[in-house]
């Protein structure tokens, strides 16, 4: 009987602690933001530090693909802001992903250079990619 109660308790804890698909995706995108936003702060005048900027660019690159693996069909939940167009327009969705991943790679490369204007353009390209995808595939706050 003790084993049954223990197993039931562990199953309940595992179920309760698992975030839903919307929360999982939000966590992945927030991880991206934690690298991306400090770069923007530096570029907007908070003291550009090349070594720190490169670290953020590398972290952004490492985290950039993860959220896109979490958009399985039927995973719109109460937290999710994903629009159904993600699944009904897969070619457009894939193109937005590819554009974002390419822009992130270019930002990582330009971060290692010394042309601050090129770095700003690369940063802006990532930002514009985010906006483009949000405009097409992200719904309003619930």
């Amino acid at each position: 009987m003790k084993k049954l109660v223990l197993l039931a308790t562990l199953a309940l804890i595992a179920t309760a602690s698992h975030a839903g698909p919307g929360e999982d995706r939000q966590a992945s995108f927030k991880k991206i933001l934690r690298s991306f936003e400090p770069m923007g702060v530096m570029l907007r005048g908070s003291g550009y530090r090349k070594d720190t900027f490169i670290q953020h660019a590398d972290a952004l690159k490492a985290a950039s693909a993860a959220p896109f693996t979490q958009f399985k069909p039927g995973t719109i939940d109460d937290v999710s802001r994903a629009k159904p167009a993600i699944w009904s327009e897969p070619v457009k969705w894939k193109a937005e992903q590819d554009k974002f991943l390419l822009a992130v790679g270019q930002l990582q490369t330009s971060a290692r250079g010394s042309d601050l204007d090129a770095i700003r353009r690369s940063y802006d390209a990532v930002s514009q990619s985010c906006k483009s995808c949000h405009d097409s595939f992200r719904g309003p706050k619930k």
Side-chain angles (χ1 to χ4, degrees):
M1 182 65 172
K2 287 182 183 181
K3 287 183 183 180
L4 181 59
V5 170
L6 178 62
L7 287 174
T9 302
L10 290 175
L12 181 62
I13 290 170
T15 302
S17 67
H18 176 68
E23 290 173 314
D24 291 342
R25 289 191 291 259
Q26 286 177 358
S28 290
F29 282 117
K30 284 179 182 178
K31 185 174 182 180
I32 286 173
L33 192 59
R34 283 192 298 272
S35 298
F36 188 64
E37 185 54 31
M39 290 188 285
V41 170
M42 279 191 251
L43 292 175
R44 289 187 295 271
S46 179
Y48 175 77
R49 294 172 312 285
K50 184 176 182 172
D51 57 336
T52 303
F53 195 92
I54 289 171
Q55 289 173 352
H56 286 300
D58 290 346
L60 175 64
K61 176 70 173 170
S64 63
F68 300 107
T69 65
Q70 299 173 338
F71 287 90
K72 308 290 186 230
T75 58
I76 294 180
D77 58 17
D78 291 339
V79 175
S80 180
R81 293 173 62 187
K83 290 182 179 178
I86 288 172
W87 299 279
S88 66
E89 300 177 38
V91 173
K92 185 177 178 184
W93 169 243
K94 178 72 169 120
E96 290 289 351
Q97 291 176 48
D98 292 346
K99 185 169 70 171
F100 173 73
L101 295 173
L102 178 64
V104 167
Q106 290 172 339
L107 176 58
Q108 184 186 36
T109 299
S110 68
R112 287 169 164 67
S114 57
D115 184 347
L116 201 53
D117 287 333
I119 294 168
R120 281 191 178 96
R121 285 190 302 274
S122 294
Y123 180 89
D124 289 343
V126 173
S127 181
Q128 183 56 43
S129 175
C130 293
K131 182 183 180 330
S132 175
C133 192
H134 287 179
D135 289 347
S136 298
F137 297 107
R138 183 182 190 200
K141 288 185 179 183
K142 294 181 179 183

